[in-house]
């Protein structure tokens, strides 16, 4: 189901927390809304869910009628009773027949790895378990539109990697439109078909995730995505994360070396380019001494120039 | 000693099933029980609305409700007396000095307590819970019912506060009920009567029974409240 947002404005205590001219969420796609804390991501999700007082319109396949939605809030909430009872209630409210409920619960619990927790009272789950049960409840519904607020909040370590692997398949199996919110660019990169970058209540970028991640449309987006942004003459250079290396290349900068260390198994040099802290891979070169200035470079495809930005 | 004699007398009367006492106790439970139920039927949904929604005038109503918690029963009784008296606006209903009139006045006394406790109980639930049920498609009544189950600790406190306040009040019961033997006499008004006659031991006996009644009710409600904790 295609979700279309037009002229959406949410004002809270006299401050505009969200202002979207037009945003289209593609049918059957996983759209990740990415932005830092306080950017208005949760507000956007709540506006789509109809929980937020706002101006503007949200339409579903062109109609202003909200379809059945599935939602997982950032804070997992449950009613009394077991995890199974909580999932069953959600399915019952969605009009799923009792016979189908069991199968849906079993499947969602399998994907989220909570099969062993189904008979446990929901009030006795750890934070990570509760978050997984929260997601299982949303996925089991297979709603035309599923809204997930920070789906991996509170889940870390191996469970997180496992879920990042399992969720895209689960989304596709559900077949509906998924809108997920996160502050983590790495998580967004792994989950998203499409990306919406929300900064300070405004959309800075929207489109296929691969395009935005490889070519952010403005300096703020680039900076948020982890690109090094370096002020230049009349604009800003943005260098893709991990693209800088010591030595000559297509686009060169000079790096004032602060120290050498190892990141992710490779030797790197930490220092500053035009006063901005940066990191360059060292490769085979001998480590420069602190205080030295070395030439670093990046391939042209990994560097963007934003004129007029500061 | 009068006090001790009264307490012993209470158990003696209860033990032999004194018809007068049992009649008064039965009426006390019926009148205050009915008033509590009515106050809950109106007060719990209103408490829910006050807790879950924001609208102009909400703060005013909350303040009014909180003020109502401290309303002297005798004032409430007086207002109902003036409304129900033969020359009053509702005089044609001929309800003055009936149990129904007592119920009405006691509803007015219990309602602010019930609304206030219920609002606090619902407000203590995470907002996301109501939002979730809303998004999942639960209707208004289903949502109220499911959230009431979650808030049962606070809601049973509302029942205890409401029932406790009206079963032990005398001002309204006396003013609109008139303390008529066999029709509007309840434990509190019976106590007033015995005390005015100088029958202090009997007054204490009735007082003891009232205390036992409230204790028993609260024991049952507390057991329900703490079940499954």
């Amino acid at each position: 189901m295609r979700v279309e947002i037009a002229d959406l404005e949410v004002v809270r205590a006299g401050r505009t927390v969200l202002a979207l001219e037009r945003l289209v969420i593609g049918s059957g796609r996983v759209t990740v809304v990415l932005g830092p804390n306080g950017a208005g991501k949760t507000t956007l999700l709540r506006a789509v869910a109809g929980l937020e007082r706002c101006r503007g319109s949200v339409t579903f396949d062109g109609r202003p009628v909200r379809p059945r939605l599935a939602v997982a809030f950032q804070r997992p909430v449950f009613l009394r009773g077991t995890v199974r009872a909580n999932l069953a209630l959600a399915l019952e409210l969605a009009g799923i027949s009792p016979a189908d409920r069991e199968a849906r619960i079993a499947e969602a619990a399998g994907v989220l790895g909570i099969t062993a927790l189904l008979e446990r009272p929901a009030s006795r789950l750890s934070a990570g378990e509760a978050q997984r049960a929260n997601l299982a409840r949303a996925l089991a519904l297979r709603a035309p539109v599923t809204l997930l607020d920070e789906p991996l909040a509170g889940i870390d370590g191996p469970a997180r990697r496992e879920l990042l692997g399992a969720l895209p398949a689960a989304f596709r199996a559900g077949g509906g439109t998924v809108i997920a919110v996160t502050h983590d660019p790495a998580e967004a990169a792994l989950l998203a078909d499409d990306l919406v970058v929300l900064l300070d209540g405004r959309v800075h970028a929207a489109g296929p995730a691969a395009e935005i991640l490889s070519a952010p449309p403005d300096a703020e987006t680039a900076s948020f995505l982890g690109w090094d942004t370096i002020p230049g003459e009349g604009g800003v250079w943005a260098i893709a994360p991990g693209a800088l290396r010591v030595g000559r290349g297509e686009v060169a900068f000079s790096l004032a070396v602060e120290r050498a260390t190892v990141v992710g198994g490779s030797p790197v040099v930490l220092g500053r380019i035009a006063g901005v802290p940066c990191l360059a891979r060292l490769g085979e070169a001998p480590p420069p001494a602190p205080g030295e200035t070395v030439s670093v470079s990046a391939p042209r495809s990994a560097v963007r120039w934003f004129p007029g930005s500061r | 000693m009068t006090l001790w004699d009264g307490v012993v007398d209470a158990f003696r009367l209860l033990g032999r099933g004194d018809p007068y006492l049992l009649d008064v106790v039965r009426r006390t439970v019926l009148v205050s029980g009915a008033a509590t139920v009515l106050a809950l039927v109106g007060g719990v949904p209103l408490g829910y609305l006050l807790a879950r929604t924001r609208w102009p005038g909400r703060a005013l109503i909350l303040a009014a409700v909180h003020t109502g918690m401290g309303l002297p029963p005798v004032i409430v009784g007086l207002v109902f007396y003036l409304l129900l008296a033969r020359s009053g606006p509702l005089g044609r209903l001929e309800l003055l000095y009936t149990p129904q009139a007592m119920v009405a006045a006691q509803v007015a006394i219990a309602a602010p307590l019930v609304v206030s406790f219920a609002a606090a109980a619902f407000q203590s639930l995470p907002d996301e819970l109501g939002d979730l049920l809303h998004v999942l498609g639960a209707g208004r009544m289903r949502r109220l019912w499911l959230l009431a189950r979650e808030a049962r600790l606070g809601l049973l406190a509302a029942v205890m506060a409401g029932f406790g306040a009206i079963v032990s009040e005398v001002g309204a019961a006396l003013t609109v009920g008139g303390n008529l033997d066999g029709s509007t006499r309840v434990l509190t008004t019976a106590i007033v009567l015995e005390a005015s006659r100088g029958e202090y031991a009997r007054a204490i006996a009735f007082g003891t029974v009232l205390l036992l009644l409230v204790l028993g009710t609260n024991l049952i409600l507390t057991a329900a409240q703490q079940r499954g904790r």
Side-chain angles (χ1 to χ4, degrees), chain A residues 67-82:
Chain A
R68 209 162 275 294
L69 300 173
V71 62
F73 293 112
Q74 185 172 3
R75 167 158 68 153
V77 285
F78 301 97
L79 297 168
R80 356 171 18 200
T82 61

Side-chain angles (χ1 to χ4, degrees), chain A residues 198-253:
Chain A
L198 201 60
L199 300 173
D200 210 15
R202 281 164 204 287
V203 173
H204 275 243
E211 276 177 28
I212 292 171
L213 291 169
S214 59
D218 63 25
E220 290 88 351
T221 303
S223 169
F224 180 70
L225 291 175
W227 292 48
D228 295 320
T229 48
I230 293 151
E233 200 71 30
V236 168
W237 294 102
I239 307 161
L244 273 179
R245 57 183 312 140
V246 175
R248 307 232 164 255
E250 287 177 336
V251 187
F253 301 90

Side-chain angles (χ1 to χ4, degrees), chain B residues 1-2 4-5 13 37 62 72-73 81 94 98 104 112 123 138 143-144 148 153 164 176 183 189 218 223:
Chain B
M1 203 174 77
T2 313
W4 178 245
D5 290 348
L13 288 171
V37 169
L62 263 177
Y81 176 85
E94 298 193 349
T98 63
Q123 217 146 15
R143 235 149 56 208
L144 175 60
L153 282 179
V176 300
S183 94
T189 57
N218 284 347

Side-chain angles (χ1 to χ4, degrees), chain A residues 51-137:
Chain A
L51 295 169
E52 200 70 42
R53 193 178 297 220
C54 57
R55 288 224 315 258
S57 73
V58 181
T59 56
F60 301 85
D61 275 349
R63 300 191 311 147
V65 188
R66 257 182 198 82
R68 209 162 275 294
L69 300 173
V71 62
F73 293 112
Q74 185 172 3
R75 167 158 68 153
V77 285
F78 301 97
L79 297 168
R80 356 171 18 200
T82 61
V83 174
R84 182 187 294 281
N86 271 277
L87 267 61
L89 174 72
L91 290 165
E92 185 208 321
L93 290 172
I96 310 294
S97 75
D100 290 347
R101 283 178 216 160
E102 285 312 307
R104 296 272 196 106
I105 292 171
E107 191 191 340
V111 172
L112 274 305
I114 56 161
T115 308
L117 303 176
L118 282 176
E119 312 309 327
R120 192 167 322 159
S123 57
R124 303 240 171 88
L125 299 175
S126 75
E129 289 166 347
Q131 186 59 20
R132 279 187 277 162
N134 193 27
L135 284 176
R137 177 171 55 194

Side-chain angles (χ1 to χ4, degrees), chain A residues 105-298:
Chain A
I105 292 171
E107 191 191 340
V111 172
L112 274 305
I114 56 161
T115 308
L117 303 176
L118 282 176
E119 312 309 327
R120 192 167 322 159
S123 57
R124 303 240 171 88
L125 299 175
S126 75
E129 289 166 347
Q131 186 59 20
R132 279 187 277 162
N134 193 27
L135 284 176
R137 177 171 55 194
L139 292 183
L141 289 169
R142 287 198 202 147
V145 178
T146 299
L147 308 172
L148 308 174
D149 196 350
E150 298 281 358
L152 295 174
I155 306 175
D156 34 44
R160 181 187 182 82
R161 280 199 294 277
E162 210 167 287
L163 271 185
L164 278 170
L167 281 179
F171 292 155
R172 253 181 290 285
T177 303
V178 176
I179 308 177
V181 149
T182 179
H183 67 276
D184 181 356
E187 191 176 305
L190 288 170
L191 293 180
D193 298 324
D194 294 327
L195 208 57
V196 174
V197 178
L198 201 60
L199 300 173
D200 210 15
R202 281 164 204 287
V203 173
H204 275 243
E211 276 177 28
I212 292 171
L213 291 169
S214 59
D218 63 25
E220 290 88 351
T221 303
S223 169
F224 180 70
L225 291 175
W227 292 48
D228 295 320
T229 48
I230 293 151
E233 200 71 30
V236 168
W237 294 102
I239 307 161
L244 273 179
R245 57 183 312 140
V246 175
R248 307 232 164 255
E250 287 177 336
V251 187
F253 301 90
S254 42
L255 177 82
V257 175
E258 288 178 345
R259 68 196 194 89
T261 182
V262 174
V263 170
S266 343
V268 298
V269 180
L270 301 176
R272 287 172 189 271
I273 301 173
V276 180
C278 290
L279 176 154
R281 283 182 296 139
L282 195 49
E284 303 298 311
E292 218 178 299
T293 297
V294 296
S295 180
V296 295
S297 65

Side-chain angles (χ1 to χ4, degrees), chain A residues 46 68 75 79-80 92, chain B residues 128 131-132 136 142 150:
Chain A
R46 290 178 57 87
R68 209 162 275 294
R75 167 158 68 153
L79 297 168
R80 356 171 18 200
E92 185 208 321
Chain B
E128 288 93 336
D131 290 342
L132 178 76
L136 291 180
R142 187 80 194 269
E150 293 305 304

